[in-house]
Amino acid sequence: MFLTQKWRALQRGLTTLLTVAVVATAGAAVPFFDRSAPQDFLEVNLHALVGGSAVTQNYMSTFPEIQELNTAMGLAYGMGAGVTFGLRQWLGLGTELNVVVNRNRMDCAVSNTAVTSMSNLFMRNHYTYINIPVFLSLRFYPATGLRWNVDLGMYYSYGVGGSQRQTLYNWTTNDLGQIVPKVVESKPSYFGSSDTFLNGYKRGDIGLHLATALLFRGHVSVGGRMGVGFKNISRKIGVLNPNIHNINFLVSVGYHF
């Protein structure tokens, strides 16, 4: 639910931005959909990214010992460069190279069948991806000096580093019926470690790349993007393997040369 709310808020913000931009730049008649040959065959841009990242998971349906589970989106940020090849004035083929740092949080309560042992685990995930989207860019012209891009394609991401900070609070009952508390902290690597919670994480990921942006006077762009992972990035450690997918929402600000 919170992911849907984040995306709807981003949509409302971009719609408002487009409306204000159209009103501010309206005046001269320009074709909204320009079928002519591209004015620039190659566009290069640099951009900064900031937003939120999370993972979708099915821990509770996979592991019945988990009694309660909460997840929260964390801060994501990064930067990158992109190139777009003009096929027509209304259509381009683009790709990017981005470095994106992601965070998210998770906490859960775990108990055995007899409820003689109870554990609360708090996790803070921090991981970095090299992200490479390839996409078709639809380009519209609402007003003079304003271009609206809608990009649709796929991405490949490769994890280059990160960690999972774990804080475990455990309570057990001894033979005398006394409660014995214990606190354990650890910080395994996010990728390639068998000490992460219940499953490991694969470095490679593929998914949907969806973006939209406004380009002002051919140089400054402001927009938003969403990435939804199609690949199950969970790497089985034990007998069972959950289903985990990346998702993020990012605002982009860039400069086109």
Side-chain angles (χ1 to χ4, degrees):
M1 180 64 70
F2 76 95
L3 297 177
T4 302
Q5 293 173 345
K6 291 281 187 180
W7 178 238
R8 288 177 178 173
L10 180 59
Q11 287 179 313
R12 289 194 296 269
L14 292 174
T15 301
T16 302
L17 179 61
L18 177 61
T19 302
V20 172
V22 170
V23 173
T25 59
V30 294
F32 180 77
F33 188 78
D34 192 343
R35 296 180 175 85
S36 63
Q39 295 179 1
D40 298 307
F41 175 71
L42 181 65
E43 292 184 9
V44 179
N45 73 84
L46 299 176
H47 52 264
L49 304 168
V50 64
S53 61
V55 294
T56 62
Q57 42 71 35
N58 63 340
Y59 280 136
M60 292 193 69
S61 60
T62 306
F63 303 99
E65 297 85 0
I66 298 178
Q67 305 300 317
E68 185 176 348
L69 178 68
N70 299 298
T71 62
M73 178 176 284
L75 175 67
Y77 58 90
M79 61 183 303
V83 295
T84 303
F85 300 93
L87 305 179
R88 302 296 292 175
Q89 192 67 1
W90 66 271
L91 180 65
L93 175 64
T95 186
E96 295 177 352
L97 177 63
N98 304 306
V99 179
V100 183
V101 179
N102 303 272
R103 290 184 173 89
N104 61 66
R105 303 186 303 274
M106 185 181 304
D107 63 82
C108 64
V110 181
S111 67
N112 59 17
T113 306
V115 199
T116 57
S117 176
M118 174 71 75
S119 300
N120 285 340
L121 180 61
F122 298 85
M123 288 166 288
R124 301 295 182 265
N125 295 316
H126 175 258
Y127 46 99
T128 301
Y129 277 111
I130 301 295
N131 170 258
I132 305 173
V134 177
F135 52 87
L136 287 175
S137 181
L138 303 178
R139 304 185 285 195
F140 308 101
Y141 301 86
T144 301
L146 177 67
R147 191 177 79 189
W148 175 29
N149 295 346
V150 178
D151 303 337
L152 177 63
M154 300 284 291
Y155 74 79
Y156 174 77
S157 290
Y158 186 79
V160 294
S163 62
Q164 182 180 87
R165 183 175 181 178
Q166 304 174 357
T167 304
L168 175 67
Y169 298 88
N170 179 252
W171 293 268
T172 58
T173 304
N174 61 19
D175 295 338
L176 301 178
Q178 299 171 322
I179 297 177
V180 180
K182 184 180 180 180
V183 179
V184 179
E185 292 187 346
S186 61
K187 194 176 180 180
S189 298
Y190 189 77
F191 298 107
S193 174
S194 60
D195 295 325
T196 48
F197 178 64
L198 294 179
N199 61 273
Y201 293 90
K202 299 175 182 176
R203 292 184 181 271
D205 184 31
I206 58 173
L208 172 70
H209 172 82
L210 178 63
T212 185
L214 297 175
L215 179 63
F216 297 91
R217 300 297 177 184
H219 291 296
V220 178
S221 66
V222 180
R225 62 181 61 192
M226 176 177 67
V228 181
F230 293 156
K231 180 179 178 180
N232 181 13
I233 60 170
S234 174
R235 181 175 58 84
K236 184 166 65 175
I237 293 177
V239 177
L240 301 176
N241 191 40
N243 205 338
I244 299 176
H245 298 268
N246 283 316
I247 186 168
N248 60 38
F249 304 97
L250 299 169
V251 173
S252 64
V253 178
Y255 187 85
H256 291 237
F257 298 91

